[in-house]
């Protein structure tokens, strides 16, 4: 190639750049002349074969070509952009409000579980876990449930086989934990539970509980249990919340209590929500029954402990003022968005 041929290509390339009709054509011209197998690199490569006396002039012309062509492309792109902005697309209105992507958020029940775990973590409780499908021993027998107790009936419990069932409570995690660990044990266990219940404003067949268990080799008393639950009530619901114990029966605790918090609606004065009592039931609890220790291989003479079980939905309903348990399961964005 000689200089005359080179300058002919130079002119052609500029004409092509100037004639490019759109961004794609600009890109096409760029690839043709500047691309890895483009004409300009090819000419550069030929520089070696040019006779030595012509080489400086040839090299200079080739560089000038590259520069001129690059500028021509740039100028054409800019010109295209300008026309396109003015003619094809409507002007961009910077004063319009932005369109935000919809963000997700934690489900209120997950929020309650996370907060309960945080509160108990501060006083040394770790989170334990167990399966939704349990056996009869863990869900009933080892929890000292009498062999023909009505809670085991087909009408209350969802049985899968003669021995397997969908757990009716998170209490079997107490059994699993004690069977696999030596005291001291300090755990909470959030999880799903299943019962053959008809759904209404306050009942669900598939709800959530948070189990708690503390067993130690030194004396633990009902007063410790009450102090722990009072601490929890304050942290979860705010200062000034009262806690009361009412005697009750659970097969796996002795003595057993039901735990009430002061009513969040009336503050304890008495209203429709608390049925004029000023109190709302939130949990079952008690001192672990010595018979349970025997089932899990602990020596009842040498250990002391308490247990408790909260309904997660109940806590969430109180904390967020949710009037109907069914809201938690319907995935209605108008409800869920309140918890962002
Ligand atoms: N498992 C009980 C229930 O489902 C709740 C409960 C009561 C749990 C007393 C406990 C407890 O750990 O000590 O009704």
């Amino acid at each position: 190639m000689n200089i005359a041929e080179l300058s002919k290509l130079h002119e052609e390339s500029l004409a092509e750049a100037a004639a490019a009709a759109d961004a794609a054509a600009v890109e096409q011209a760029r690839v043709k002349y500047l691309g890895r197998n483009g004409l300009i690199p090819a000419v550069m490569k030929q520089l070696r074969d040019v006779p030595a006396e012509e080489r400086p002039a040839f090299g200079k012309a080739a560089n000038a070509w590259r520069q001129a062509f690059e500028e021509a492309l740039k100028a054409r792109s800019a010109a295209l952009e300008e026309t396109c902005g003015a003619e094809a697309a409507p002007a961009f209105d910077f004063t319009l409000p932005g369109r935000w992507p919809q963000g997700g958020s934690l489900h209120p029940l997950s929020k309650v579980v996370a907060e309960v775990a945080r509160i108990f973590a501060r006083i040394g409780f770790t989170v334990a876990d167990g399966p939704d499908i349990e056996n009869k021993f863990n869900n009933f027998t080892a929890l000292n449930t009498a062999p023909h107790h009505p809670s085991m009936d087909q009408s209350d419990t969802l049985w899968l086989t003669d021995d397997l069932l969908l757990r009716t409570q998170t209490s079997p995690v107490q059994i699993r934990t004690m069977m696999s660990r030596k005291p001291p044990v300090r755990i909470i266990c959030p999880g799903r539970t299943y019962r053959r219940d008809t759904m209404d404003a306050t009942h669900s067949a598939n709800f959530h509980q948070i189990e708690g268990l503390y067993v130690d080799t030194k004396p633990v008393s009902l007063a410790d249990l009450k102090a722990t639950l009072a601490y929890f009530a304050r942290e979860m619901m705010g200062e000034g919340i009262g806690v009361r114990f009412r005697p009750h029966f659970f097969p796996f605790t002795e003595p057993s209590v039901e735990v009430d918090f002061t009513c969040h609606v009336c503050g304890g004065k008495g209203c429709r929500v608390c049925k004029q009592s000023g109190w709302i039931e939130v949990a079952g609890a008690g001192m672990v029954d010595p018979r349970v220790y025997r089932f899990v291989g602990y020596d009842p003479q040498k250990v002391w402990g308490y247990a408790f079980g909260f309904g997660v939905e109940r806590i969430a309903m109180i904390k967020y003022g949710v009037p109907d348990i069914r809201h938690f399961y319907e995935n209605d964005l108008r409800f869920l968005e309140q918890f962002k």
Side-chain angles (χ1 to χ4, degrees):
M1 177 174 299
N2 57 36
I3 290 224
E5 285 166 334
L6 189 149
S7 64
K8 192 169 156 245
L9 278 174
H10 180 147
E11 292 313 318
E12 275 175 23
S13 71
L14 294 196
E16 259 181 71
D22 51 24
V26 171
E27 175 61 11
Q28 220 173 0
R30 195 192 63 75
V31 171
K32 175 170 168 191
Y33 288 98
L34 291 172
R36 204 145 38 91
N37 300 315
L39 285 168
I40 295 178
V43 167
M44 296 286 188
K45 252 183 247 154
Q46 285 178 22
L47 201 55
R48 272 178 290 145
D49 309 327
V50 175
E53 63 281 10
E54 284 174 30
R55 208 172 291 153
F58 192 92
K60 215 165 149 195
N63 276 326
W65 175 23
R66 166 186 279 269
Q67 213 174 343
F69 179 70
E70 279 173 355
E71 266 157 33
L73 278 187
K74 219 191 275 171
R76 187 61 193 146
S77 296
L80 282 173
E81 226 161 81
E82 222 168 84
T83 26
C84 156
E87 291 160 16
F92 187 82
D93 184 350
F94 291 96
T95 64
L96 285 173
R99 268 184 240 139
W100 300 106
Q102 283 228 344
S105 59
L106 283 181
H107 191 278
L109 296 180
S110 304
K111 278 181 122 150
V112 166
V113 167
E115 193 168 349
V116 173
R118 242 187 340 261
I119 291 169
F120 278 102
R122 266 184 251 139
I123 52 170
F125 284 73
T126 54
V127 172
D129 199 9
D132 288 18
I133 296 177
E134 263 300 359
N135 58 39
K136 186 173 166 182
F137 179 81
N138 289 335
N139 196 86
F140 290 122
T141 315
L143 288 164
N144 195 35
T145 313
H148 299 290
H149 193 276
S151 65
M152 282 191 226
D153 274 5
Q154 292 283 354
S155 60
D156 287 324
T157 297
L158 293 148
W159 289 92
L160 303 173
T161 66
D162 283 349
D163 186 47
L164 294 177
L165 51 96
L166 293 174
R167 67 178 174 196
T168 60
Q169 47 191 355
T170 43
S171 303
V173 183
Q174 291 186 25
I175 304 302
R176 289 177 172 273
T177 305
M178 286 191 275
M179 300 234 281
S180 62
R181 289 193 218 168
K182 296 250 161 303
V185 165
R186 223 189 237 102
I187 54 132
I188 60 160
C189 165
R192 265 176 200 280
T193 53
Y194 305 79
R195 285 185 200 174
R196 236 183 205 189
D197 245 339
T198 310
M199 193 154 219
D200 64 23
T202 54
H203 292 86
S204 158
N206 173 205
F207 59 107
H208 301 75
Q209 287 186 332
I210 298 182
E211 194 74 15
L213 175 71
Y214 171 43
V215 180
D216 211 331
T217 48
K218 58 184 192 213
V220 175
S221 73
L222 201 65
D224 295 320
L225 170 62
K226 195 162 185 187
T228 302
L229 295 182
Y231 155 79
F232 168 70
R234 270 196 318 274
E235 294 294 315
M236 192 73 195
M237 302 297 178
E239 282 302 327
I241 193 101
V243 177
R244 123 181 139 168
F245 280 1
R246 273 179 296 109
H248 198 73
F249 173 81
F250 295 105
F252 38 91
T253 42
E254 181 56 38
S256 301
V257 294
E258 275 189 329
V259 184
D260 297 342
F261 286 178
T262 37
C263 176
H264 54 290
V265 177
C266 61
K269 284 194 218 67
C271 67
R272 214 169 46 87
V273 173
C274 58
K275 299 197 185 84
Q276 308 306 329
S277 72
W279 297 94
I280 301 266
E281 182 203 324
V282 292
M287 304 308 292
V288 179
D289 194 300
R291 284 165 167 270
V292 174
Y293 292 136
R294 268 190 222 112
F295 276 112
V296 298
Y298 282 9
D299 181 347
Q301 299 297 325
K302 296 196 177 133
V303 292
W304 291 260
Y306 59 69
F308 54 86
F310 285 98
V312 178
E313 281 82 347
R314 176 59 68 87
I315 299 280
M317 287 169 88
I318 296 175
K319 189 170 166 77
Y320 299 125
V322 176
D324 192 316
I325 198 170
R326 288 169 288 202
H327 285 310
F328 292 121
Y329 315 117
E330 283 165 353
N331 288 335
D332 185 331
L333 282 179
R334 289 167 301 180
F335 171 71
L336 294 175
E337 273 173 354
Q338 303 171 64
F339 302 96
K340 272 194 181 166

